[in-house]
Amino acid sequence: MPVDILTVEDLYFRYNSSDVLSGISFSIKKGDYIGLVGPNGSGKTTLIKAILGLLKPYSGRIILFGDDIGAFSRWDKVGYLPQHIAALNPRFPATVSEVVAMGLLSKKQFPKHMNRSDHARVDNVLDLLDMKRHKNAPVGELSGGQQQRVLVARAIVNDPEFLIVDEPTDALDPEMRDRFFEIMQSLNKQKQVAIVIVTHDTGNIGRYTSKLLYVDKKIIFYGSFEDFCKSREITQFFGEFAQHVICHRHNQNIDCSSGDHGTD
Ligand code: ADP
């Protein structure tokens, strides 16, 4: 049986007394690759922030790697890739390799010095993202797409077992977007990293992920794409068209045929 990485039990979250998340229960296992989707304002970001321990739920439990989130300390096992470049602060006076190295700090005791193997890891991950030649460049001087690659490098340099990714692909050029999904795929398949990707791109997410978590303040669906696409309740809930938009890419992926891109 795959190990539980995350268990969420009957989670409620409110801002100013109105429920944004209610009765949320699900679990994520080693090797899962999950697309988290839902309309704007459906609570996806709130759920992610709660899982990262940044927001305290009104009630319910979040258990990470077997520990209640309040007692969880192994944040080095968790990688987070934020959506916005702003999270990096482009004026931050650091080089590319220094920013990536920050991803290693949570594993270290004081004093947090970098050793030779740390430098090698930073170099390897920059190489993987075709950014090694920029390693000494100040991050503020890079293009938006290059800065996004630095964030990807920082999120994966630590070899996380659980990776949470907040819709990074807008800032990436199409070639890097494909490269990004290849890297995610190989982390998931070869290292069994559990990945959650928050996305609006419902038409494409089925090409990459194996499960769908559809949230609209509560869980509308959690399970495999096959089950989502076959479900009559889902057809009734979404209508055939919306279900088709989510499903056709995934089916095409299975059938290996091609077609046009779906959108929101
Ligand atoms: P999503 O990421 O799916 O777009 P969010 O989790 O950002 O959804 O937001 C869920 C709901 O909570 C929305 O109605 C949003 O307006 C509201 N909300 C988000 N952040 C705050 C906040 N800091 N204070 C009050 N309401 C908020």
Side-chain angles (χ1 to χ4, degrees):
M1 267 297 271
V3 182
D4 264 8
I5 300 246
L6 170 76
T7 307
V8 174
E9 285 175 6
D10 206 21
L11 188 80
Y12 284 77
F13 188 89
R14 348 185 120 152
Y15 290 112
N16 317 321
S17 78
S18 71
D19 278 344
V20 168
L21 295 172
S22 58
I24 303 273
S25 298
F26 66 98
S27 64
I28 293 178
K29 297 189 188 309
K30 197 175 166 78
D32 277 345
Y33 191 177
I34 295 162
L36 171 53
V37 295
N40 272 340
S42 58
K44 301 181 295 294
T45 310
T46 304
L47 179 59
I48 292 304
K49 285 184 177 168
I51 293 169
L52 289 167
L54 302 171
L55 290 175
K56 203 167 159 16
Y58 177 74
S59 66
R61 288 185 74 195
I62 298 174
I63 301 157
L64 263 175
F65 294 93
D67 284 337
D68 198 274
I69 191 141
F72 181 72
S73 59
R74 294 295 312 274
W75 288 104
D76 56 292
K77 291 176 175 231
V78 183
Y80 173 57
L81 178 58
Q83 180 176 28
H84 295 297
I85 306 290
L88 189 60
N89 184 359
R91 276 189 287 278
F92 194 65
T95 65
V96 165
S97 53
E98 284 167 343
V99 171
V100 176
M102 285 171 201
L104 289 171
L105 294 182
S106 59
K107 216 173 207 164
K108 291 188 167 288
Q109 307 290 330
F110 282 101
K112 294 185 179 247
H113 290 313
M114 293 269 290
N115 58 32
R116 193 181 295 183
S117 87
D118 294 332
H119 286 293
R121 285 173 82 153
V122 169
D123 281 358
N124 284 344
V125 80
L126 285 173
D127 209 17
L128 189 71
L129 289 150
D130 199 18
M131 284 295 288
K132 203 164 162 190
R133 65 188 180 283
H134 298 290
K135 66 181 270 191
N136 295 319
V139 275
E141 289 180 8
L142 302 177
S143 70
Q146 288 171 331
Q147 288 183 351
Q148 188 70 43
R149 292 190 210 190
V150 174
L151 288 182
V152 175
R154 187 182 64 170
I156 66 176
V157 69
N158 220 11
D159 271 341
E161 292 174 44
F162 181 29
L163 191 54
I164 300 174
V165 177
D166 202 350
E167 224 180 25
T169 48
D170 288 354
L172 300 176
D173 50 76
E175 193 185 318
M176 188 53 209
R177 185 178 198 280
D178 289 345
R179 182 88 192 96
F180 170 80
F181 279 108
E182 268 171 34
I183 291 166
M184 293 297 121
Q185 195 84 2
S186 91
L187 288 172
N188 176 251
K189 289 280 170 288
Q190 282 159 28
K191 300 192 175 174
Q192 291 288 294
V193 176
I195 302 176
V196 174
I197 292 198
V198 185
T199 182
H200 286 288
D201 193 1
T202 47
N204 276 307
I205 195 63
R207 287 171 67 189
Y208 310 107
T209 58
S210 53
K211 284 187 179 173
L212 186 70
L213 176 57
Y214 196 106
V215 171
D216 193 356
K217 300 197 159 83
K218 56 192 173 76
I219 292 186
I220 305 296
F221 179 85
Y222 182 44
S224 69
F225 273 87
E226 281 77 8
D227 287 346
F228 179 87
C229 297
K230 280 190 294 202
S231 163
R232 285 184 166 268
E233 290 89 58
I234 290 297
T235 316
Q236 276 164 6
F237 186 85
F238 286 99
E240 266 179 36
F241 178 73
Q243 187 181 25
H244 174 73
V245 166
I246 295 178
C247 293
H248 80 131
R249 267 283 163 184
H250 187 65
N251 291 335
Q252 282 173 7
N253 198 31
I254 293 166
D255 297 337
C256 300
S257 52
S258 61
D260 56 355
H261 289 246
T263 51
D264 260 45

